[in-house]
Amino acid sequence: MSFTDRIAQGLESGWNVTDGATLTENQTVEADVVIVGTGAGGGTTAEILAKSGLSVILVEEGRLYYQKDFKMDELTSYGNLYQEAMSRTTKDGAIAILQGRCVGGSTTVNWTSSFRTPEATLNYWGQRFGLEALSPEAMAPWFEGREVRHSISPWDMEPNLNNDVLRQGCEKLGYSWQIIPRNVKGCWNLGYCGMGCPTNAKQGALLTTIPGALDHNARLFHGLRAERLVMNQDRIEALQATAMASDGITPTDVQVTLKAKHFVVAASAIGSPGLLLRSGLPDPYERLGKRTFLHPVNASVAQMPKRVDPFYGSPQSVYSDEFNRRNGVGHNDADHAVGYKLEVPPLHPAMFAGVVPGHGDTQAKDFAHLPWMQSVIALLSDGFHENSPGGTVSLRDDGSPMLDYPITDYLWKGLRHAFYTMAEIQFAAGAERVRLMHLDSDWYSSWADAKAAIDNLAMVPHKVRLFTAHQMGGCGMGNNPKESVVNGFGEHHHVSNLSVHDASVFPTSIGANPQLSVYALAARNSVRLAQRLQK
């Protein structure tokens, strides 16, 4: 471990950090800007605004966990660091949603893959949503700036075998592949990124922009749930928030009122629409919570002849855009199949148990082979086709947000094609047997057998094991208020002092892991916001 921990140091030096669980009476606090959420968008915004001299308050429902808390233990980490203790799903339970709930948000628990928004996606946004100002050329300096800030560069160590199988299979079949850029500095190559980095190598918001903001007198409330924004005419007057008990999930009776000149919502593609819906903000064209995208993910698992140890080493270091590019990210033609990006997930025991079908003796036999297991995942690029309209965020009776995401026939067809691709790649790389993450799938010992089985698998919810770590949309941006919630700078069309700075503003998915896209867009929009507020 590093000898100096950035968070411990800052707390000792007197950062203004308040744990909601310690509050015993109601209070009102004021600042120039209140930011809801401390992930990629909230952290970036806080640092830029605080450095510009504005007073900033950060609000995080999750708790502050840092190096001392990251024990490389799955069950504790999933319970502490993820939304709904990693049991969040879509409304019908068919898609598992992996999403951070802690200071730093999902940047604290992601697998560090950092891609620029594909040029085809940015060009499509310009053509379809009037966002020509977000052209690849205009965004390039913002990507470059965030790559420096978060130490993003292509992984320079040998891929672990789990990832190298994807490379080997692609090479055998003539498919393109590349090395993944990662936001790490001095990485120990342990492989436990999803449980919080125990060596402080991961350069997410927790160790970069959040400390940067706190060093410039920002104030952080963690364990504080944003309940609703209170309107007065066309402006927000205050944020009403509830303190959470030390368990992180039980609300207390303590209420905190936060007043500001400007409010930035960066609470995720599920949390941000949820907050705006709870607040009853103007939504004359009913766009709020609509067009929410997930990069729906399916997977296959292979047993390899050599020991893989898929729980060790950089979780993701090799990817292929062969079928993203071939199928057309950014194309809306009727003939275009959905594109999908191929990556590799780590297989830790609890995650393996949750993803691979089976229980009892069947599961025990599979677990005995875990060190020889390898997996490939396909991330579908949703939102570019009329038959991929995304999902809808709405509120449960208790006010908490939920996502309804129907899988259309168009997407089911893409998921079936992805099964073919993943199994073929694994057999090409020497797999002894392959199983699709589908309840009706057996283990198949040849590509021909796997292909015949995939032909006949029922592509229906709950049979296909689906999950997502990428939530996008719900507060989509665009020039036309009739089909969007915010403009290209994240400024709300109908509320004069409200901005949204997270992946919820994406009008489609992006066809790549989203954290760098959020960093760059939030940086661009925060610089403009700082200039606007200083005037």
Side-chain angles (χ1 to χ4, degrees):
M1 289 190 182
S2 60
F3 294 104
T4 57
D5 176 70
R6 187 78 171 87
I7 305 299
Q9 245 182 0
L11 293 171
E12 289 170 12
S13 71
W15 278 349
N16 197 346
V17 175
T18 301
D19 177 356
T22 66
L23 299 176
T24 56
E25 54 187 39
N26 298 347
Q27 56 185 271
T28 299
V29 189
E30 296 189 32
D32 292 324
V33 184
V34 167
I35 301 169
V36 181
T38 60
T44 300
T45 302
E47 181 177 50
I48 289 171
L49 296 185
K51 282 188 171 181
S52 76
L54 295 163
S55 59
V56 172
I57 293 174
L58 280 153
V59 179
E60 172 59 55
E61 181 177 339
R63 296 184 58 75
L64 174 59
Y65 296 101
Y66 54 103
Q67 188 177 35
K68 68 177 178 59
D69 304 302
F70 300 147
K71 308 290 188 184
M72 296 166 52
D73 173 73
E74 280 189 274
L75 298 184
T76 302
S77 300
Y78 297 159
N80 288 342
L81 304 176
Y82 286 79
Q83 288 286 358
E84 299 174 41
M86 214 186 198
S87 65
R88 174 169 277 188
T89 68
T90 50
K91 183 179 180 179
D92 62 359
I95 307 176
I97 299 173
L98 283 64
Q99 186 179 8
R101 183 180 183 268
C102 53
V103 174
S106 291
T107 75
T108 299
V109 295
N110 68 22
W111 298 337
T112 75
S113 298
S114 305
F115 296 92
R116 295 187 179 194
T117 314
E119 291 189 4
T121 299
L122 293 174
N123 290 333
Y124 178 72
W125 290 356
Q127 296 157 11
R128 171 64 183 81
F129 300 100
L131 298 169
E132 294 88 351
L134 300 179
S135 68
E137 297 75 23
M139 289 301 297
W142 297 106
F143 290 130
E144 290 166 8
R146 292 298 102 183
E147 285 163 350
V148 172
R149 181 69 185 98
H150 296 278
S151 303
I152 294 170
S153 62
W155 182 233
D156 59 2
M157 296 178 69
E158 284 294 313
N160 62 5
L161 186 53
N162 195 32
N163 280 268
D164 201 52
V165 165
L166 175 57
R167 178 195 66 81
Q168 293 174 32
C170 285
E171 288 195 345
K172 288 275 180 63
L173 296 167
Y175 299 155
S176 61
W177 64 274
Q178 287 82 31
I179 294 294
I180 291 179
R182 304 183 64 218
N183 62 316
V184 294
K185 186 165 62 176
C187 179
W188 288 30
N189 206 21
L190 297 175
Y192 284 75
C193 308
M195 286 144 246
C197 181
T199 66
N200 281 347
K202 184 189 297 186
Q203 299 301 295
L206 178 66
L207 291 178
T208 56
T209 53
I210 299 296
L214 293 171
D215 283 344
H216 287 81
N217 303 315
R219 180 171 187 181
L220 168 65
F221 284 91
H222 66 97
L224 190 67
R225 175 184 289 167
E227 300 287 2
R228 67 186 188 96
L229 298 160
V230 181
M231 287 280 291
N232 184 359
Q233 296 182 334
D234 74 332
R235 295 177 60 81
I236 294 168
E237 193 169 68
L239 170 70
Q240 298 286 0
T242 301
M244 309 295 286
S246 57
D247 63 7
I249 55 174
T250 307
T252 69
D253 293 329
V254 177
Q255 301 296 307
V256 179
T257 301
L258 300 167
K259 295 187 173 183
K261 299 173 187 173
H262 199 91
F263 293 81
V264 177
V265 174
S268 85
I270 295 176
S272 292
L275 174 59
L276 271 55
L277 285 166
R278 281 198 302 276
S279 304
L281 297 190
D283 184 24
Y285 305 105
E286 298 185 343
R287 301 317 305 152
L288 189 54
K290 305 297 198 310
R291 290 186 63 81
T292 304
F293 301 104
L294 292 177
H295 288 155
V297 174
N298 62 338
S300 62
V301 170
Q303 184 175 320
M304 304 303 295
K306 291 184 179 179
R307 191 179 177 107
V308 177
D309 288 344
F311 30 76
Y312 291 141
S314 167
Q316 294 187 317
S317 54
V318 174
Y319 75 99
S320 173
D321 266 338
E322 177 75 26
F323 295 88
N324 234 353
R325 186 175 60 251
R326 181 188 295 188
N327 294 359
V329 169
H331 286 287
N332 201 34
D333 303 340
D335 295 335
H336 271 94
V338 63
Y340 48 90
K341 190 181 198 75
L342 297 173
E343 296 178 345
V344 167
L347 294 176
H348 297 99
M351 182 172 288
F352 182 79
V355 171
V356 179
H359 56 275
D361 290 343
T362 301
Q363 186 178 65
K365 289 176 182 176
D366 285 343
F367 257 102
H369 296 288
L370 178 58
W372 289 267
M373 295 294 183
Q374 190 274 344
S375 183
V376 178
I377 55 176
L379 292 71
L380 270 63
S381 298
D382 49 341
F384 295 100
H385 191 281
E386 61 182 7
N387 292 325
S388 176
T392 301
V393 174
S394 61
L395 299 177
R396 299 185 181 94
D397 291 344
D398 66 356
S400 62
M402 63 179 173
L403 171 63
D404 184 21
Y405 190 99
I407 301 288
T408 62
D409 289 344
Y410 171 77
L411 293 178
W412 283 126
K413 184 178 178 181
L415 290 162
R416 190 187 300 275
H417 281 299
F419 274 143
Y420 289 129
T421 302
M422 294 185 289
E424 183 184 24
I425 285 172
Q426 288 168 316
F427 279 117
E432 294 179 338
R433 55 181 191 150
V434 170
R435 185 178 187 185
L436 299 317
M437 293 302 93
H438 187 294
L439 292 187
D440 294 342
S441 174
D442 202 347
W443 285 99
Y444 307 108
S445 56
S446 72
W447 163 229
D449 287 347
K451 185 176 184 300
I454 297 168
D455 288 343
N456 296 300
L457 288 177
M459 301 300 287
V460 294
H462 300 286
K463 290 261 187 178
V464 183
R465 285 284 173 89
L466 296 176
F467 60 97
T468 177
H470 304 160
Q471 303 85 41
M472 300 154 284
C475 296
M477 59 182 166
N479 277 357
N480 183 357
K482 291 184 177 180
E483 60 178 18
S484 57
V485 176
V486 299
N487 66 19
F489 284 100
E491 299 161 345
H492 197 282
H493 286 309
H494 310 290
V495 182
S496 61
N497 66 334
L498 173 64
S499 299
V500 183
H501 285 191
D502 59 15
S504 72
V505 303
F506 297 168
T508 64
S509 77
I510 62 170
N513 307 52
Q515 74 165 341
L516 177 52
S517 297
V518 179
Y519 286 141
L521 199 58
R524 168 188 180 269
N525 295 351
S526 297
V527 167
R528 174 183 165 101
L529 178 59
Q531 293 167 348
R532 177 180 151 195
L533 293 176
Q534 285 166 331
K535 287 179 184 178

